[in-house]
Amino acid sequence: MGLQATTSQTVGPYFTIGLDPLNRSEIASPQIAGERITVQGQVLDGDGEPVPDALLETWQADAQGKYVDPEGSESEAGKTKFFGFGRIPTDENGRFRFTTIKPGPVGGPEGTTQAPHIVVSIFMRGLLTRLITRIYFFGDARNEKDYVLNLIEPTRRSTLMARPATEDKNVFRWNVHLQGESETVFFDC
């Protein structure tokens, strides 16, 4: 007699039931003030193979460094929204893409300021606890003094850096490496 996983022991194949309506890859309406950016990349396993059924949840501040509630905040006109929260599934090639505004700096410990960043939680099959990481923006001078980045070994910080993907400075590339030599930095929270 073999043991079979139940729904309380695995995230698949039940993973998408009830969650699809919550997917959001446009985190800010086009009219929201701030530098509009696109972040794209892939989730890759330890062998460098794409993960076709991962889900990224993002949480970020607006361009002024303020967080909003998960339902979004409306502008004065009531026609535009900044959600600050996204849920982006990967495609069959492990790719993801979302559009938002570049977040502003937020407060940190002991009166410090954190560099602009996006918090990312990763969910996928076989992973019973989410992975938590951050996206920072390569070349931002504020990265030098960021409290969290300075806790990470300097040679590993690059795994958190989104880099310009094209000549268009508003499109960034950031990959998630779940294991291996290029493993993304994940945080215990």
Side-chain angles (χ1 to χ4, degrees):
M1 171 166 120
L3 297 176
Q4 188 173 14
T6 67
T7 57
S8 65
Q9 297 168 317
T10 182
V11 291
Y14 314 98
F15 190 57
T16 62
I17 296 174
L19 294 179
D20 285 346
L22 301 174
N23 291 348
R24 175 180 294 126
S25 61
E26 186 168 299
I27 315 307
S29 298
Q31 302 82 5
I32 293 293
E35 180 184 348
R36 194 150 180 86
I37 63 170
T38 297
V39 177
Q40 59 190 21
Q42 275 185 300
V43 177
L44 303 164
D45 68 16
D47 294 324
E49 295 297 318
V51 178
D53 56 356
L55 179 82
L56 285 73
E57 283 186 348
T58 64
W59 185 254
Q60 70 170 87
D62 65 15
Q64 289 76 42
K66 294 185 176 21
Y67 289 100
V68 297
D69 67 66
E71 299 301 316
S73 62
E74 292 190 14
S75 70
E76 303 81 45
K79 296 179 183 167
T80 60
K81 285 195 175 208
F82 173 71
F83 294 97
F85 172 80
R87 183 173 276 140
I88 306 99
T90 58
D91 67 12
E92 64 276 357
N93 295 309
R95 293 182 303 232
F96 62 87
R97 179 184 179 96
F98 63 93
T99 304
T100 187
I101 54 171
K102 188 173 182 183
V106 298
E110 302 173 13
T112 61
T113 301
Q114 296 182 59
H117 66 277
I118 300 171
V119 176
V120 180
S121 291
I122 300 161
F123 301 88
M124 59 177 272
R125 65 181 146 72
L127 190 63
L128 299 180
T129 304
R130 68 184 172 147
L131 298 174
I132 301 170
T133 189
R134 287 182 170 197
I135 300 172
Y136 286 90
F137 299 93
F138 179 78
D140 191 311
R142 295 167 287 197
N143 290 341
E144 295 285 325
K145 294 184 179 179
D146 184 86
Y147 178 82
V148 174
L149 276 176
N150 282 302
L151 294 174
I152 300 167
E153 182 181 323
T155 59
R156 304 261 345 265
R157 292 178 191 163
S158 64
T159 68
L160 302 179
M161 296 294 156
R163 297 175 183 275
T166 63
E167 291 181 15
D168 180 349
K169 67 180 180 96
N170 294 352
V171 178
F172 291 88
R173 178 110 182 129
W174 178 72
N175 290 330
V176 177
H177 295 267
L178 298 171
Q179 294 178 323
E181 191 174 308
S182 302
E183 180 179 342
T184 301
V185 171
F186 299 110
F187 301 100
D188 292 327
C189 296

